[in-house]
Amino acid sequence: MNSQHEFVLNAVEERGIRFIRLWFTDIAGQLKAVMMSPGELEGAFEEGAGFDGSAIEGFSRVSESDTLLLPDPSTFQIMPFDDDEPDLRTARMFCDIVMPDGTPSMADPRNILRRQVKAAADEGFTCQVSPEIEFYIVNDDGFPFAMTPTDHGGYFDQAAHSVVPKFRREAMQALEHMGIATEFSHHETSPGQQEIDLRHADVLTMADNIMSFRYLLKTVAQRNGVRATFMPKPFREYAGSAMHTHFSLFEGESNAFHDPDDEYSLSATARGFIAGILHYANEISAVTNQWVNSYKRLQFGNEAPTAITWGVSNRSALIRIPTYRLHKAASRRVELRSLDSGTNPYLGYAVVLAAGLRGIAEGFDLDDPAEEDVTLLTRRERRAMGYRDLPRGLDEALRYMEKSEFLAEVLGEHVFEFFLRSKWNEWHAYTDQITPFEIRSTLEL
């Protein structure tokens, strides 16, 4: 029992916590939970809480079903919404998943990211990230088969006569209650579309924060009589929902991405990081954009990247270099624009960080930045300019993934094989459908 464990046990007693939620995610990034009473918490800290791992898709075979949840006391937070019902007061902690002998589970997405955090630390780096999370608020009536946006607003609109301003305020309060710092909140480009930006944190903490964010936003929405969805592109006629993420590496207190003598204030470390992501962009696409629907956003979304490029203040590029406070060392970062709001943040951030670290270690070269609006170029024009296209569908992304020794190494054999198998099943189920478009266009032939 260490000091963090003792702090949590004391807080549970002093704050009158009646229930503890142990949170973890499956390979697809779906939030899972086990509820326990406070009296069981000390034993869970010492020995873990047992559960049937074979019941979680992709975790383990029936013969290996005994699995343990090991609560991470650093993630202890009291849940909002229970102040008026003290008998229901609840706290949560994220968990690491381990086997009975104490070894980390091969199927634990959080452990996969933790391995890359350690790889960065071995090189003297800590990774800081800051996501801009987009999502839609839709009316509850007809959900999910007849979704309609809650408003008709546009970019930065003040929708004074809808539930949205109240919703965003309540959402930000709930996030702050759980120690998740926010920076900005605003209406996005499309009706019903919102964005909340989270303040930078280390990459593992941020992945935890994103899982909490999704849970809290959905809860706040339902309390307001609406629904929140993080589907990458829920509406054909409107923009998709991205999770643009800003990455930087620090060496102690110094930003390793900053070089005051460079034209764009980018160090050799930053350039290697960018080059690594560009090099492996196609191979990691099935993880950063894991759903069939993800590619509707990439093909037809507003300002979504279509080619493997980087640019300075270029929002059509896969990687954008923000020029706000260009010469402020702490602000130097790179923004990856392919990630969508349906990404498993543990796996998505793990493969991006691994690609960037490989680019630094192997000294990958970085071509000149793109200055054109890449989304307006035809496929032929992009190829003539030397730009490689991103995958146009989940099937193409999976074919790149199948050939990637790099990705198999990052994810581990177990997750790599299961991810491919489950996503091919998703693709086949999608293509097996007879769609209304086919009926309309060919039924009368």
Side-chain angles (χ1 to χ4, degrees):
M1 189 71 61
N2 63 34
S3 59
Q4 283 189 321
H5 295 153
E6 292 174 355
F7 171 82
V8 170
L9 293 172
N10 290 335
V12 167
E13 182 176 358
E14 292 170 1
R15 300 294 296 275
I17 304 299
R18 301 299 181 90
F19 303 97
I20 309 293
R21 292 180 183 176
L22 304 183
W23 279 3
F24 62 102
T25 66
D26 65 11
I27 292 173
Q30 299 299 307
L31 185 63
K32 305 293 182 179
V34 172
M35 187 86 79
M36 68 163 44
S37 65
E40 301 298 317
L41 186 54
E42 186 171 353
F45 280 144
E46 293 178 352
E47 300 176 355
F51 76 106
D52 180 4
S54 66
I56 307 298
E57 188 178 13
F59 264 38
S60 54
R61 298 169 294 185
V62 173
S63 60
E64 303 167 334
S65 60
D66 289 341
T67 316
L68 295 168
L69 295 173
L70 204 60
D72 181 347
S74 70
T75 66
F76 175 83
Q77 288 288 346
I78 298 173
M79 301 292 292
F81 317 128
D82 297 331
D83 288 343
D84 55 346
E85 296 184 90
D87 288 344
L88 298 178
R89 193 162 292 148
T90 304
R92 73 96 168 98
M93 279 180 287
F94 283 96
C95 295
D96 294 310
I97 302 168
V98 300
M99 306 308 292
D101 63 0
T103 59
S105 167
M106 296 180 296
D108 181 8
R110 199 167 188 261
N111 181 57
I112 290 171
L113 178 55
R114 194 187 292 279
R115 290 203 302 264
Q116 294 308 314
V117 170
K118 183 180 183 303
D122 289 344
E123 300 300 321
F125 299 125
T126 57
C127 181
Q128 297 281 319
V129 299
S130 174
E132 304 168 356
I133 307 175
E134 297 172 351
F135 55 96
Y136 274 89
I137 301 299
V138 298
N139 292 310
D140 197 36
D141 294 342
F143 182 89
F145 301 109
M147 292 190 301
T148 56
T150 56
D151 63 71
H152 299 287
Y155 198 53
F156 281 177
D157 275 2
Q158 176 62 49
H161 303 293
S162 77
V163 300
V164 173
K166 181 181 177 183
F167 162 82
R168 285 207 305 264
R169 290 196 298 269
E170 290 185 3
M172 294 177 75
Q173 284 179 338
L175 291 166
E176 296 282 352
H177 180 95
M178 293 192 67
I180 300 172
T182 60
E183 289 190 332
F184 303 105
S185 166
H186 62 84
H187 199 290
E188 256 295 334
T189 58
S190 298
Q193 191 180 33
Q194 316 295 321
E195 176 179 309
I196 297 178
D197 302 347
L198 302 186
R199 188 172 300 162
H200 65 85
D202 70 271
V203 67
L204 183 58
T205 296
M206 186 56 74
D208 290 340
N209 287 349
I210 291 168
M211 296 308 305
S212 298
F213 181 99
R214 292 175 183 168
Y215 173 83
L216 291 172
L217 269 287
K218 289 180 179 180
T219 301
V220 172
Q222 287 186 290
R223 289 166 65 91
N224 280 274
V226 294
R227 298 291 187 115
T229 175
F230 297 93
M231 184 177 179
K233 199 172 193 300
F235 296 103
R236 176 180 177 271
E237 64 271 35
Y238 300 138
S241 291
M243 189 172 71
H244 304 148
T245 301
H246 300 255
F247 291 83
S248 55
L249 295 180
F250 277 76
E251 295 173 303
E253 298 296 321
S254 300
N255 188 345
F257 279 4
H258 181 72
D259 181 353
D261 298 325
D262 180 77
E263 181 181 4
Y264 309 119
S265 297
L266 290 174
S267 67
T269 297
R271 290 175 176 273
F273 191 87
I274 296 168
I277 297 173
L278 297 180
H279 181 85
Y280 290 110
N282 280 335
E283 296 175 39
I284 67 176
S285 183
V287 178
T288 58
N289 306 91
Q290 66 165 327
W291 304 106
V292 165
N293 183 254
S294 298
Y295 296 86
K296 303 293 180 68
R297 169 187 162 253
L298 290 179
Q299 284 193 76
F300 308 111
N302 182 39
E303 292 186 344
T306 55
I308 301 172
T309 58
W310 75 285
V312 180
S313 296
N314 188 342
R315 296 181 185 275
S316 70
L318 173 62
I319 294 178
R320 183 178 81 95
I321 308 304
T323 54
Y324 312 119
R325 300 179 294 275
L326 188 63
H327 300 296
K328 184 179 178 181
S331 299
R332 185 49 38 229
R333 60 198 189 275
V334 302
E335 176 190 353
L336 179 63
R337 297 178 61 82
S338 57
L339 289 157
D340 62 49
S341 294
T343 302
N344 179 338
Y346 299 104
L347 298 186
Y349 285 167
V351 299
V352 172
L353 178 55
L357 292 174
R358 183 69 63 90
I360 295 169
E362 299 192 6
F364 289 171
D365 292 327
L366 187 63
D367 293 332
D368 292 334
E371 298 180 352
E372 310 81 13
D373 186 341
V374 182
T375 58
L376 297 181
L377 300 175
T378 66
R379 191 179 183 196
R380 179 176 295 180
E381 288 172 332
R382 291 196 298 269
R383 289 188 171 183
M385 300 179 75
Y387 300 152
R388 292 181 295 142
D389 284 333
L390 286 166
R392 291 170 294 168
L394 181 60
D395 59 330
E396 187 177 350
L398 292 172
R399 291 190 181 97
Y400 279 112
M401 181 177 179
E402 284 179 328
K403 301 174 183 177
S404 176
E405 295 181 5
F406 165 77
L407 206 54
E409 177 185 336
V410 173
L411 297 179
E413 182 180 352
H414 178 92
V415 170
F416 181 79
E417 293 296 337
F418 174 80
F419 191 97
L420 276 172
R421 185 167 60 251
S422 65
K423 289 302 173 180
W424 273 124
N425 288 341
E426 179 186 334
W427 175 254
H428 292 150
Y430 171 70
T431 56
D432 186 50
Q433 299 175 93
I434 306 301
T435 65
F437 172 84
E438 294 169 274
I439 297 294
R440 290 195 304 271
S441 61
T442 58
L443 187 63
E444 297 295 331
L445 293 179

